[in-house]
Amino acid sequence: AANTTATIGGTGTITANFVAATFSKTFNQTGISAGTTWGVTIGATRYTSTGASVTISNLSGTVSYNYDDPTPAVSGVRYDCTTASCTGSVSSSSANPSASYTRQYQITFAVLPAGSGTTAPTGTNWYNQGQALSISATPGAGNTFSNWTSTNASITFLSSTAANTTATIGGTGTITANF
């Protein structure tokens, strides 16, 4: 009890012990496919879920949190946290945090035959699902551009025979400039 009566019969110490008030918060996410593991880190502890939310209990005071960013899924697929609330602080009076994620695919650019030209962009990069990506191919000396191909039918081209075109990203894969 917060109030009590003590009978004093001699010298000594009376100690009052306090326990910090605790609370729970539900951390929500949108955009990550059900079954994909994602998490929120508070301090050194990562709490995970494969659904739309994770509830964390026994929090006290004001605590800082970080949503996973990015969240890996399967090879060549990840989810990128796209809201300012991917990191922050909560207390007992705060609303439950929520983060939004965008699915991204890993795309590699290649040239065939090797050394016959260049592409822009180059290398391996991450692109948002459904992104309309401007791509270009520049032939090297003595070469002419033939066409664009991809290893995934979910990557489509506005014009596969134009050196400067748009690729719509619908999956992970390799985009190749053929010369």
Side-chain angles (χ1 to χ4, degrees), residues 45 135 167:
T45 304
I135 59 174

Side-chain angles (χ1 to χ4, degrees), residues 32 36-38 46 68-75 77-79 126:
I32 296 178
T36 300
T37 301
W38 62 278
R46 182 172 178 253
D68 289 351
D69 189 27
T71 295
V74 295
S75 181
V77 180
R78 72 180 188 183
Y79 295 92
W126 292 96

Side-chain angles (χ1 to χ4, degrees), residues 16 23 39 52 60 78 133 154:
F23 62 94
S60 63
R78 72 180 188 183
L133 178 66
S154 295

Side-chain angles (χ1 to χ4, degrees), residues 112-169:
L112 282 179
S116 59
T118 60
T119 64
T122 62
T124 300
N125 303 291
W126 292 96
Y127 298 98
N128 292 343
Q129 179 178 2
Q131 181 175 347
L133 178 66
S134 294
I135 59 174
S136 63
T138 304
N143 294 286
T144 58
F145 175 77
S146 174
N147 66 334
W148 293 100
T149 56
S150 74
T151 58
N152 186 332
S154 295
I155 301 170
T156 59
F157 303 100
L158 184 61
S159 171
S160 65
T161 58
N164 298 308
T165 191
T166 300
T168 300
I169 308 303

